[in-house]
mmCIF file of all heavy atoms in Angstrom:
data_model
loop_
_atom_site.group_PDB
_atom_site.id
_atom_site.type_symbol
_atom_site.label_atom_id
_atom_site.label_comp_id
_atom_site.label_asym_id
_atom_site.label_seq_id
_atom_site.Cartn_x
_atom_site.Cartn_y
_atom_site.Cartn_z
ATOM 1 N N SER A 759 26.248 1.806 -20.396
ATOM 2 C CA SER A 759 26.075 3.235 -20.613
ATOM 3 C C SER A 759 24.583 3.540 -20.632
ATOM 4 O O SER A 759 23.742 2.641 -20.743
ATOM 5 C CB SER A 759 26.687 3.648 -21.950
ATOM 6 O OG SER A 759 25.899 3.095 -22.984
ATOM 7 N N ASP A 762 23.095 2.159 -23.818
ATOM 8 C CA ASP A 762 22.921 0.697 -23.798
ATOM 9 C C ASP A 762 21.703 0.301 -22.985
ATOM 10 O O ASP A 762 20.913 -0.546 -23.382
ATOM 11 C CB ASP A 762 24.148 0.017 -23.185
ATOM 12 C CG ASP A 762 25.302 0.013 -24.164
ATOM 13 O OD1 ASP A 762 25.041 0.262 -25.358
ATOM 14 O OD2 ASP A 762 26.439 -0.221 -23.720
ATOM 15 N N ASN A 764 19.162 2.120 -22.381
ATOM 16 C CA ASN A 764 17.963 2.544 -23.097
ATOM 17 C C ASN A 764 17.604 1.555 -24.188
ATOM 18 O O ASN A 764 16.445 1.197 -24.346
ATOM 19 C CB ASN A 764 18.195 3.919 -23.717
ATOM 20 C CG ASN A 764 17.374 4.966 -23.007
ATOM 21 O OD1 ASN A 764 16.750 4.670 -21.997
ATOM 22 N ND2 ASN A 764 17.374 6.157 -23.539
ATOM 23 N N GLU A 766 18.362 -1.572 -24.384
ATOM 24 C CA GLU A 766 17.889 -2.812 -23.768
ATOM 25 C C GLU A 766 16.415 -2.679 -23.373
ATOM 26 O O GLU A 766 15.604 -3.565 -23.620
ATOM 27 C CB GLU A 766 18.714 -3.057 -22.519
ATOM 28 C CG GLU A 766 18.798 -4.501 -22.117
ATOM 29 C CD GLU A 766 19.784 -4.635 -20.976
ATOM 30 O OE1 GLU A 766 20.992 -4.702 -21.215
ATOM 31 O OE2 GLU A 766 19.299 -4.643 -19.834
ATOM 32 N N LYS A 767 16.087 -1.541 -22.777
ATOM 33 C CA LYS A 767 14.703 -1.331 -22.354
ATOM 34 C C LYS A 767 13.780 -1.217 -23.562
ATOM 35 O O LYS A 767 12.688 -1.770 -23.564
ATOM 36 C CB LYS A 767 14.589 -0.067 -21.494
ATOM 37 C CG LYS A 767 15.088 -0.281 -20.071
ATOM 38 C CD LYS A 767 14.955 0.965 -19.241
ATOM 39 C CE LYS A 767 15.466 0.749 -17.825
ATOM 40 N NZ LYS A 767 15.613 1.996 -17.084
ATOM 41 N N LEU A 774 6.656 -6.604 -25.798
ATOM 42 C CA LEU A 774 5.471 -6.783 -24.942
ATOM 43 C C LEU A 774 4.196 -6.804 -25.791
ATOM 44 O O LEU A 774 4.144 -6.175 -26.842
ATOM 45 C CB LEU A 774 5.376 -5.632 -23.931
ATOM 46 C CG LEU A 774 6.512 -5.513 -22.919
ATOM 47 C CD1 LEU A 774 6.391 -4.218 -22.112
ATOM 48 C CD2 LEU A 774 6.532 -6.707 -21.972
ATOM 49 N N PRO A 796 1.223 3.018 -21.355
ATOM 50 C CA PRO A 796 1.890 3.546 -22.551
ATOM 51 C C PRO A 796 3.336 3.039 -22.592
ATOM 52 O O PRO A 796 4.029 3.068 -21.571
ATOM 53 C CB PRO A 796 1.856 5.067 -22.327
ATOM 54 C CG PRO A 796 0.801 5.302 -21.304
ATOM 55 C CD PRO A 796 0.782 4.072 -20.441
ATOM 56 N N ILE A 817 4.946 9.232 2.078
ATOM 57 C CA ILE A 817 3.504 9.017 1.908
ATOM 58 C C ILE A 817 3.227 8.967 0.406
ATOM 59 O O ILE A 817 3.635 9.874 -0.332
ATOM 60 C CB ILE A 817 2.681 10.144 2.568
ATOM 61 C CG1 ILE A 817 3.064 10.289 4.047
ATOM 62 C CG2 ILE A 817 1.180 9.862 2.420
ATOM 63 C CD1 ILE A 817 2.520 11.550 4.704
ATOM 64 N N PHE A 835 -1.280 17.433 0.616
ATOM 65 C CA PHE A 835 -0.242 18.468 0.690
ATOM 66 C C PHE A 835 -0.602 19.504 1.754
ATOM 67 O O PHE A 835 0.240 19.908 2.556
ATOM 68 C CB PHE A 835 -0.054 19.143 -0.680
ATOM 69 C CG PHE A 835 1.037 20.166 -0.673
ATOM 70 C CD1 PHE A 835 2.359 19.788 -0.919
ATOM 71 C CD2 PHE A 835 0.768 21.497 -0.381
ATOM 72 C CE1 PHE A 835 3.384 20.727 -0.884
ATOM 73 C CE2 PHE A 835 1.794 22.438 -0.338
ATOM 74 C CZ PHE A 835 3.100 22.051 -0.599
ATOM 75 N N GLN A 871 16.761 7.734 -15.238
ATOM 76 C CA GLN A 871 17.471 8.256 -14.071
ATOM 77 C C GLN A 871 17.394 7.281 -12.905
ATOM 78 O O GLN A 871 16.344 6.723 -12.632
ATOM 79 C CB GLN A 871 16.851 9.580 -13.631
ATOM 80 C CG GLN A 871 17.021 10.676 -14.636
ATOM 81 C CD GLN A 871 16.426 11.970 -14.104
ATOM 82 O OE1 GLN A 871 17.052 12.682 -13.328
ATOM 83 N NE2 GLN A 871 15.212 12.261 -14.494
ATOM 84 N N LYS A 939 -9.688 10.902 -31.375
ATOM 85 C CA LYS A 939 -10.925 10.928 -30.594
ATOM 86 C C LYS A 939 -11.556 9.536 -30.516
ATOM 87 O O LYS A 939 -11.703 8.862 -31.524
ATOM 88 C CB LYS A 939 -11.932 11.880 -31.241
ATOM 89 C CG LYS A 939 -11.432 13.307 -31.276
ATOM 90 C CD LYS A 939 -12.202 14.181 -30.315
ATOM 91 C CE LYS A 939 -11.678 15.607 -30.430
ATOM 92 N NZ LYS A 939 -11.850 16.403 -29.264
ATOM 93 N N TRP A 967 -7.199 -2.829 -2.440
ATOM 94 C CA TRP A 967 -8.261 -3.126 -1.473
ATOM 95 C C TRP A 967 -7.813 -4.237 -0.522
ATOM 96 O O TRP A 967 -7.930 -4.131 0.700
ATOM 97 C CB TRP A 967 -9.546 -3.527 -2.219
ATOM 98 C CG TRP A 967 -10.611 -4.103 -1.326
ATOM 99 C CD1 TRP A 967 -11.013 -5.406 -1.269
ATOM 100 C CD2 TRP A 967 -11.406 -3.397 -0.355
ATOM 101 N NE1 TRP A 967 -12.002 -5.560 -0.332
ATOM 102 C CE2 TRP A 967 -12.265 -4.345 0.253
ATOM 103 C CE3 TRP A 967 -11.460 -2.066 0.055
ATOM 104 C CZ2 TRP A 967 -13.173 -4.002 1.243
ATOM 105 C CZ3 TRP A 967 -12.370 -1.732 1.059
ATOM 106 C CH2 TRP A 967 -13.208 -2.685 1.628
ATOM 107 N N LYS A 976 -0.856 0.206 6.803
ATOM 108 C CA LYS A 976 0.012 0.496 5.648
ATOM 109 C C LYS A 976 -0.766 1.161 4.504
ATOM 110 O O LYS A 976 -0.286 2.098 3.873
ATOM 111 C CB LYS A 976 0.586 -0.842 5.148
ATOM 112 C CG LYS A 976 1.375 -0.789 3.849
ATOM 113 C CD LYS A 976 2.794 -0.440 4.113
ATOM 114 C CE LYS A 976 3.602 -0.274 2.856
ATOM 115 N NZ LYS A 976 4.898 0.320 3.136
ATOM 116 N N TYR A 982 -13.937 8.087 -3.867
ATOM 117 C CA TYR A 982 -14.249 9.462 -4.303
ATOM 118 C C TYR A 982 -15.620 9.877 -3.792
ATOM 119 O O TYR A 982 -15.802 10.985 -3.297
ATOM 120 C CB TYR A 982 -14.199 9.527 -5.842
ATOM 121 C CG TYR A 982 -14.440 10.896 -6.417
ATOM 122 C CD1 TYR A 982 -13.404 11.824 -6.534
ATOM 123 C CD2 TYR A 982 -15.711 11.275 -6.859
ATOM 124 C CE1 TYR A 982 -13.624 13.089 -7.066
ATOM 125 C CE2 TYR A 982 -15.940 12.535 -7.397
ATOM 126 C CZ TYR A 982 -14.892 13.433 -7.498
ATOM 127 O OH TYR A 982 -15.121 14.685 -8.037
ATOM 128 N N THR A 989 -16.670 15.276 3.182
ATOM 129 C CA THR A 989 -15.260 15.621 2.989
ATOM 130 C C THR A 989 -14.545 15.818 4.322
ATOM 131 O O THR A 989 -13.429 15.336 4.516
ATOM 132 C CB THR A 989 -15.136 16.892 2.117
ATOM 133 O OG1 THR A 989 -16.049 16.789 1.031
ATOM 134 C CG2 THR A 989 -13.738 17.039 1.568
ATOM 135 N N ARG A 995 -9.827 11.712 8.779
ATOM 136 C CA ARG A 995 -9.362 10.319 8.742
ATOM 137 C C ARG A 995 -8.006 10.246 8.027
ATOM 138 O O ARG A 995 -7.075 9.577 8.476
ATOM 139 C CB ARG A 995 -10.434 9.513 7.987
ATOM 140 C CG ARG A 995 -10.149 8.061 7.798
ATOM 141 C CD ARG A 995 -11.372 7.380 7.127
ATOM 142 N NE ARG A 995 -10.985 6.116 6.563
ATOM 143 C CZ ARG A 995 -11.070 5.796 5.262
ATOM 144 N NH1 ARG A 995 -11.554 6.655 4.377
ATOM 145 N NH2 ARG A 995 -10.665 4.619 4.843
ATOM 146 N N LEU A 1006 -7.994 19.578 18.577
ATOM 147 C CA LEU A 1006 -9.305 20.193 18.822
ATOM 148 C C LEU A 1006 -9.220 21.701 18.606
ATOM 149 O O LEU A 1006 -10.132 22.326 18.076
ATOM 150 C CB LEU A 1006 -9.767 19.887 20.251
ATOM 151 C CG LEU A 1006 -10.188 18.430 20.485
ATOM 152 C CD1 LEU A 1006 -10.525 18.206 21.949
ATOM 153 C CD2 LEU A 1006 -11.384 18.062 19.596
ATOM 154 N N ASP A 1015 -11.853 23.358 7.885
ATOM 155 C CA ASP A 1015 -12.764 23.972 6.898
ATOM 156 C C ASP A 1015 -12.007 24.803 5.867
ATOM 157 O O ASP A 1015 -12.343 24.816 4.688
ATOM 158 C CB ASP A 1015 -13.797 24.855 7.607
ATOM 159 C CG ASP A 1015 -14.706 24.020 8.500
ATOM 160 O OD1 ASP A 1015 -15.222 23.012 8.011
ATOM 161 O OD2 ASP A 1015 -14.864 24.361 9.688
ATOM 162 N N PHE A 1041 -1.069 17.015 -21.139
ATOM 163 C CA PHE A 1041 -2.311 17.600 -20.624
ATOM 164 C C PHE A 1041 -2.106 18.942 -19.958
ATOM 165 O O PHE A 1041 -1.211 19.093 -19.132
ATOM 166 C CB PHE A 1041 -2.985 16.634 -19.649
ATOM 167 C CG PHE A 1041 -3.484 15.405 -20.340
ATOM 168 C CD1 PHE A 1041 -2.712 14.255 -20.394
ATOM 169 C CD2 PHE A 1041 -4.699 15.425 -21.008
ATOM 170 C CE1 PHE A 1041 -3.144 13.131 -21.076
ATOM 171 C CE2 PHE A 1041 -5.138 14.308 -21.692
ATOM 172 C CZ PHE A 1041 -4.375 13.161 -21.725
ATOM 173 N N ILE A 1056 -24.972 9.333 -15.827
ATOM 174 C CA ILE A 1056 -26.368 9.276 -16.262
ATOM 175 C C ILE A 1056 -26.612 10.168 -17.484
ATOM 176 O O ILE A 1056 -27.503 9.919 -18.291
ATOM 177 C CB ILE A 1056 -27.314 9.619 -15.086
ATOM 178 C CG1 ILE A 1056 -28.667 8.929 -15.279
ATOM 179 C CG2 ILE A 1056 -27.502 11.110 -14.907
ATOM 180 C CD1 ILE A 1056 -29.295 8.485 -13.986
ATOM 181 N N VAL A 1064 -24.816 0.660 -19.074
ATOM 182 C CA VAL A 1064 -24.754 0.696 -17.608
ATOM 183 C C VAL A 1064 -24.862 -0.719 -17.057
ATOM 184 O O VAL A 1064 -24.090 -1.134 -16.190
ATOM 185 C CB VAL A 1064 -25.887 1.589 -17.040
ATOM 186 C CG1 VAL A 1064 -25.956 1.500 -15.527
ATOM 187 C CG2 VAL A 1064 -25.679 3.035 -17.471
#
Side-chain angles (χ1 to χ4, degrees):
S759 69
D762 285 345
N764 250 7
E766 206 173 277
K767 283 181 181 168
L774 297 172
I817 305 168
F835 183 87
Q871 294 182 81
K939 298 250 182 206
W967 169 251
K976 173 86 184 169
Y982 183 84
T989 316
R995 179 175 162 241
L1006 288 176
D1015 295 311
F1041 293 95
I1056 208 145
V1064 173

